[in-house]
Amino acid sequence: MSKKTVVILSASLVAVAGIALAAATFRAGNDKVLRVANQKGQVKAMMLASGALEGAPYTVEWSEFPAAQPLLEAVGGGAADLGLAADAPFIFAYQSGSPVKAIAVQAPANQVSDALAIVVKNGSPLKGAQDLIGKSVATTRGSIGHHLLLQALERAHIPADKVRVTFLPPGDAKAAFDSGAIDAWATWTPYTNVAIKEGGRAVVDAKDYGLPLYIDIANTDSIDPKRAMLADFLQREAKAVAWARAHPDQFAQVLAKETGLPLDIARASFDRSNRIAQPIDAKIIAHEQAITARFQKAGLIDGQRDVASAFDSSFAKSQ
């Protein structure tokens, strides 16, 4: 993998903070601008490739983030109106007091391998979750990788404090993984794709645990003043996802251009993040309650906020 690609995957958090601060100059009530926080390889590339935003009666201001945690900080802090993130970081942010709500939910179309995994180097003696005792595992705090680690330890009946967890953003985690400074890395696509292509393997795969949901998350102060824009954007996002599913190779070309990822990694990234809309129902809420309980058991959150109140189902017709 080239140094250029590593730099793109390791986007500076300082630069990210600058983007978020710049986005904060827009008022939440601006009826002509929708500020959307984007993780590389997520919504923006689909929107661009499909042309789904053509004719939109508003401007989309994009801000880019390497992981869900800083994306949710931007949405919760009012620097963005909307962003897509997975289930675990969403509920982690919500239970930490962030003023955010889920307004739409998507699920992976297939239970594919290596979309979310704990990876090690090929030469590592580690074979499964039971081998992680006393080992160092890097992940991002409150991320889907962090949650997968907790799930794996729970299933293996291993207390969470028996593993040395190092919280790092994806770029720093990759550097630590490449250098051998950590024993394992709990991460997601496209980082799993890159790690495995460069000589890694999965010792825990989320397909065996149920892949995460993906959630469109809005700042609570943006929902009422920007309701029409949010509803319109969700409709266009659904069309973009459907287009990408029908044109995966064309989408991969745009994704590679947007992210700097090699074309084969971009194509694999889509295969592992292809998703379809799901209704916000009791099953979805129970899913998030289970994640809350797992983070709470690990002593990471107090879990006192009502999980059902984290969801706004009034946008259901937008999908």
Side-chain angles (χ1 to χ4, degrees):
M1 187 176 183
S2 69
K3 292 183 178 179
K4 179 180 179 182
T5 303
V6 172
V7 168
I8 291 171
L9 286 172
S10 308
S12 167
L13 291 181
V14 174
V16 164
I19 292 171
L21 287 172
T25 61
F26 293 102
R27 296 181 297 108
N30 189 321
D31 62 0
K32 294 183 180 180
V33 176
L34 187 67
R35 302 162 303 157
V36 181
N38 182 64
Q39 284 192 71
K40 286 188 179 295
Q42 294 283 359
V43 179
K44 184 181 178 183
M46 287 187 179
M47 291 295 209
L48 292 177
S50 65
L53 283 175
E54 291 177 7
Y58 51 85
T59 299
V60 173
E61 296 283 349
W62 298 99
S63 50
E64 298 290 336
F65 299 90
Q69 182 188 34
L71 180 152
L72 282 159
E73 288 174 357
V75 175
D81 301 306
L82 181 71
L84 184 79
D87 47 18
F90 163 64
I91 207 66
F92 191 90
Y94 174 79
Q95 290 292 359
S96 299
S98 183
V100 292
K101 284 207 172 190
I103 63 172
V105 176
Q106 302 167 41
N110 302 295
Q111 295 281 17
V112 296
S113 300
D114 305 327
L116 166 63
I118 300 175
V119 294
V120 299
K121 293 291 187 65
N122 272 337
S124 170
L126 305 185
K127 303 297 183 183
Q130 69 278 0
D131 299 320
L132 296 175
I133 296 174
K135 303 301 182 181
S136 57
V137 182
T139 193
T140 303
R141 183 179 178 87
S143 67
I144 49 176
H146 190 186
H147 181 244
L148 175 62
L149 174 61
L150 295 177
Q151 283 183 296
L153 296 177
E154 181 182 90
R155 186 177 290 187
H157 306 290
I158 300 170
D161 61 4
K162 295 298 183 181
V163 173
R164 293 183 286 116
V165 182
T166 302
F167 294 124
L168 296 171
D172 293 342
K174 184 183 188 305
F177 183 77
D178 290 346
S179 69
I182 55 174
D183 297 304
W185 182 16
T187 191
W188 53 91
T189 188
Y191 306 109
T192 49
N193 310 57
V194 173
I196 290 170
K197 180 181 179 181
E198 294 182 348
R201 58 181 171 82
V203 293
V204 173
D205 195 317
K207 71 179 178 62
D208 300 322
Y209 295 77
L211 294 174
L213 301 173
Y214 289 87
I215 300 174
D216 284 289
I217 303 155
N219 180 284
T220 54
D221 289 339
S222 296
I223 290 176
D224 286 338
K226 295 195 174 183
R227 178 171 293 276
M229 277 192 292
L230 290 168
D232 181 80
F233 186 89
L234 292 178
Q235 290 178 340
R236 293 172 186 274
E237 182 187 8
K239 291 177 181 178
V241 172
W243 180 92
R245 187 179 300 115
H247 305 86
D249 293 328
Q250 289 173 255
F251 167 69
Q253 291 175 359
V254 176
L255 179 60
K257 182 178 179 180
E258 276 288 296
T259 61
L261 291 168
L263 185 58
D264 61 333
I265 295 292
R267 182 65 172 80
S269 179
F270 173 72
D271 289 340
R272 294 168 183 168
S273 62
N274 184 8
R275 51 192 188 268
I276 54 178
Q278 296 288 301
I280 294 175
D281 55 17
K283 184 178 179 181
I284 296 294
I285 292 171
H287 176 83
E288 291 296 88
Q289 286 172 328
I291 297 174
T292 295
R294 197 163 283 117
F295 279 133
Q296 188 177 23
K297 183 179 179 181
L300 296 161
I301 56 174
D302 61 25
Q304 296 304 304
R305 297 183 80 183
D306 176 47
V307 173
S309 297
F311 291 84
D312 183 337
S313 60
S314 65
F315 290 88
K317 293 182 180 179
S318 300
Q319 291 185 281

